[in-house]
Amino acid sequence: MIELKTPAEIERMHEAGRFVAHVLTELGARAAVGVNLLDLEQHARELIRERGAESCYWDYAPSFGRGPFRNVVCLSVNDAVLHGLPHDDVLRDGDVLKMDLAVMVDGWAADSARTVIVGTPREDDQRLVRAGEEALEAAIDAAQPGGKLGDISAAIGAVAARHGYPVNLEFGGHGIGRTMHEDLHVPNDGRAGRGMRLKPGLTLALEPWFARTTDKIVFDPDGWTIRSADGSRTTHSEHTVAVTDDGPRVLTRRADEKPM
């Protein structure tokens, strides 16, 4: 069932979104050469505990995972792109780090992801990350009241095609609100003008992600971490967005982020 949120409920989701944005900003500032992934996980735990928030990931147990997820942030490095299980490993110069965080604050969820390059960036990695960010902004711009769900998917797919990146359709965006995953799957490619009509009060987590040279994925033995099948590097960008009478409203925008 798709639940449209009231303006007051969207404000409450924005509270959660501001906190998610704050944590991702903190983690991005700490992501440096020599930093252990478990240190980033621990810092996220401390911030969530101090805020009195609740991790949406802790004990998350979907059909594809191997047992419940027992961390509060997904950290995926280089060819890893989604659901990266934090583990005892240090960041190296040039690593491409994806950080994905979802929390509940006072009963309302927000979900966001960002990609950062640690240390000295490679030009092809910068292009990939910028393409993911561009696709996210295109998806947000397409989330207009009266439009169709396919408009969002098509906007993401058009950016990927323009940059020459393949698109995987197994994992994509989703509804969000009282829980992390609500009804509606938002594929990262599709046809404009198709699908459900976008109504004010609809809240979505939009999350384009690309691998440089493949649309195929593989799972690590941990049952969670998803990688590009050919080992090519990846990017992942995500925001929680509300469709309103005045257009799309981003609920997880970071203070240090400049929309493209």
Side-chain angles (χ1 to χ4, degrees):
M1 184 180 70
I2 298 168
E3 178 190 9
L4 300 179
K5 281 67 174 185
T6 67
E9 290 169 337
I10 290 172
E11 285 298 329
R12 294 180 68 184
M13 288 184 66
H14 194 196
E15 282 298 311
R18 279 194 285 260
F19 175 66
V20 168
H22 168 67
V23 175
L24 287 178
T25 297
E26 286 267 315
L27 296 183
R30 286 173 173 258
V33 176
V35 171
N36 196 299
L37 295 179
L38 292 180
D39 291 338
L40 296 178
E41 161 74 18
Q42 184 59 38
H43 187 59
R45 291 189 190 193
E46 291 170 359
L47 292 173
I48 290 170
R49 183 172 57 251
E50 289 170 2
R51 178 63 175 79
E54 179 184 349
S55 169
C56 294
Y57 294 160
W58 192 268
D59 277 345
Y60 179 50
S63 59
F64 59 82
R66 179 173 295 173
F69 198 83
R70 288 297 175 90
N71 291 276
V72 302
V73 63
C74 295
L75 300 174
S76 308
V77 181
N78 295 335
D79 59 325
V81 63
L82 297 173
H83 311 148
L85 196 66
H87 58 286
D88 184 13
D89 193 25
V90 298
L91 294 169
R92 294 162 179 81
D93 191 44
D95 278 349
V96 181
L97 172 66
K98 282 114 301 182
M99 303 176 291
D100 191 356
L101 179 75
V103 302
M104 301 281 292
V105 175
D106 298 328
W108 293 93
D111 190 0
S112 184
R114 67 180 298 195
T115 300
V116 297
I117 300 175
V118 178
T120 308
R122 293 173 9 184
E123 185 176 346
D124 52 356
D125 290 337
Q126 289 178 309
R127 286 197 302 268
L128 179 65
V129 173
R130 283 197 298 266
E133 293 169 347
E134 180 184 339
L136 178 56
E137 293 302 328
I140 293 166
D141 289 344
Q144 298 290 339
K148 294 293 188 71
L149 188 66
D151 299 344
I152 297 173
S153 298
I156 295 170
V159 173
R162 187 162 62 250
H163 289 276
Y165 298 129
V167 177
N168 176 285
L169 299 180
E170 295 171 71
F171 292 90
H174 50 89
I176 188 171
R178 297 180 189 273
T179 62
M180 174 174 60
H181 284 144
E182 295 187 344
D183 283 344
L184 275 186
H185 171 67
V186 188
N188 284 331
D189 199 3
R191 294 175 60 184
R194 302 291 293 273
M196 190 189 104
R197 187 169 299 281
L198 304 176
K199 298 179 181 180
L202 183 65
T203 48
L204 300 169
L206 305 178
E207 50 178 318
W209 62 272
F210 309 136
R212 183 177 291 123
T213 55
T214 185
D215 62 355
K216 303 296 190 296
I217 57 174
V218 293
F219 285 79
D220 274 6
D222 64 31
W224 285 101
T225 305
I226 297 175
R227 299 181 184 272
S228 61
D230 64 358
S232 59
R233 290 191 167 192
T234 61
T235 190
H236 180 205
S237 298
E238 179 182 17
H239 273 312
T240 296
V241 179
V243 179
T244 77
D245 288 318
D246 298 323
R249 180 181 176 189
V250 181
L251 306 182
T252 49
R253 185 78 76 188
R254 300 183 305 278
D256 64 345
E257 182 181 14
K258 296 180 181 179
M260 301 182 71

